[in-house]
Amino acid sequence: MNKTIRQVGLASTAALMLVLSPALPVKAAAITGLFATGVDGAGAALGDGATDTHYAIVSPAQQGVVINQTSIPFQWVPNSATSRWIWQDAIGTPINVTRAFQMTFDLAGLDATTALIAGQWAADNTGLDILINGNSTSNSCGGFSVLCNFNIASGFVAGINTLEFQVQDVGGIAGFLVSSISGSADAIPVPEPGMIAIFGLGLIGLGLARRRRAS
């Protein structure tokens, strides 16, 4: 009888400790895998005609290409050490077309419902929209001489996400630029070892108590 009481008491104490234990703090973490256009894996500007491995054109299926500096019109937002204009080829052709540029990133270990992404972009001639996982975010950009801000606060999913920039050209030379981009989301809390041990102890105690009562 005394043994059963001790077992029930052990289980009850463990359960109470779980209830009374303070919640683990939630920490915001940077979303990795977000890149400006025309940069390498370290965020440094690529050279003329280089392949941008972070942005894939949907159709025709190929990677974006850094536009030659000599082809950049003076009216465009200037290239920088951390971003460059890209298109289908190094001279900004073909023209009079619409192209979609996609980038993927992973939210593994992060709470997708808390994700936020912001940045600045430009397009020649028009940035029609930015899609997150195929859904419109109503972010457009009306030109190439001034950077447009964009903010995305919903539409994210757990795991792999796709960001798509839709750009329309109407002649001259075509181009697409993401000058800056960054994001954050809350990290999914991982139980501390002590909490796991307490929870396991409680389960063991409950199991023993039930077995004792059954016998």
Side-chain angles (χ1 to χ4, degrees):
M1 181 67 178
N2 290 337
K3 185 176 180 181
T4 301
I5 292 174
R6 286 197 301 272
Q7 290 167 344
V8 173
L10 178 63
S12 300
T13 300
L16 181 62
M17 291 179 70
L18 283 175
V19 172
L20 296 179
S21 296
L24 294 175
V26 177
K27 298 180 180 179
I31 297 174
T32 59
L34 300 175
F35 293 91
T37 52
V39 299
D40 61 18
L46 296 167
D48 288 357
T51 298
D52 187 332
T53 60
H54 305 120
Y55 286 89
I57 300 173
V58 175
S59 180
Q62 67 167 81
Q63 296 300 125
V65 176
V66 176
I67 299 175
N68 297 333
Q69 180 61 46
T70 55
S71 298
I72 301 294
F74 73 91
Q75 299 97 330
W76 283 13
V77 174
N79 285 326
S80 72
T82 55
S83 65
R84 293 197 64 178
W85 287 84
I86 65 173
W87 196 248
Q88 190 172 329
D89 66 20
I91 58 173
T93 62
I95 60 174
N96 295 312
V97 295
T98 297
R99 292 289 181 263
F101 293 81
Q102 288 187 344
M103 175 174 60
T104 59
F105 58 94
D106 194 351
L107 290 181
L110 302 176
D111 182 353
T113 64
T114 65
L116 299 169
I117 287 179
Q120 294 185 307
W121 68 316
D124 188 339
N125 291 86
T126 305
L128 300 175
D129 199 358
I130 302 175
L131 310 183
I132 179 69
N133 298 312
N135 300 309
S136 171
T137 66
S138 299
N139 282 281
S140 59
C141 186
F144 44 77
S145 59
V146 178
L147 291 171
C148 304
N149 297 323
F150 64 86
N151 292 275
I152 305 170
S154 62
F156 300 93
V157 298
I160 301 298
N161 288 252
T162 300
L163 200 59
E164 180 177 308
F165 295 81
Q166 297 181 335
V167 180
Q168 183 182 47
D169 178 71
V170 292
I173 179 175
F176 160 60
L177 174 74
V178 174
S179 177
S180 63
I181 183 170
S182 61
S184 65
D186 291 345
I188 298 175
V190 177
E192 296 177 356
M195 294 289 290
I196 297 174
I198 292 172
F199 183 67
L201 189 61
L203 291 178
I204 293 171
L206 287 173
L208 290 174
R210 287 172 183 167
R211 209 170 355 166
R212 180 72 176 179
R213 287 197 298 271
S215 62

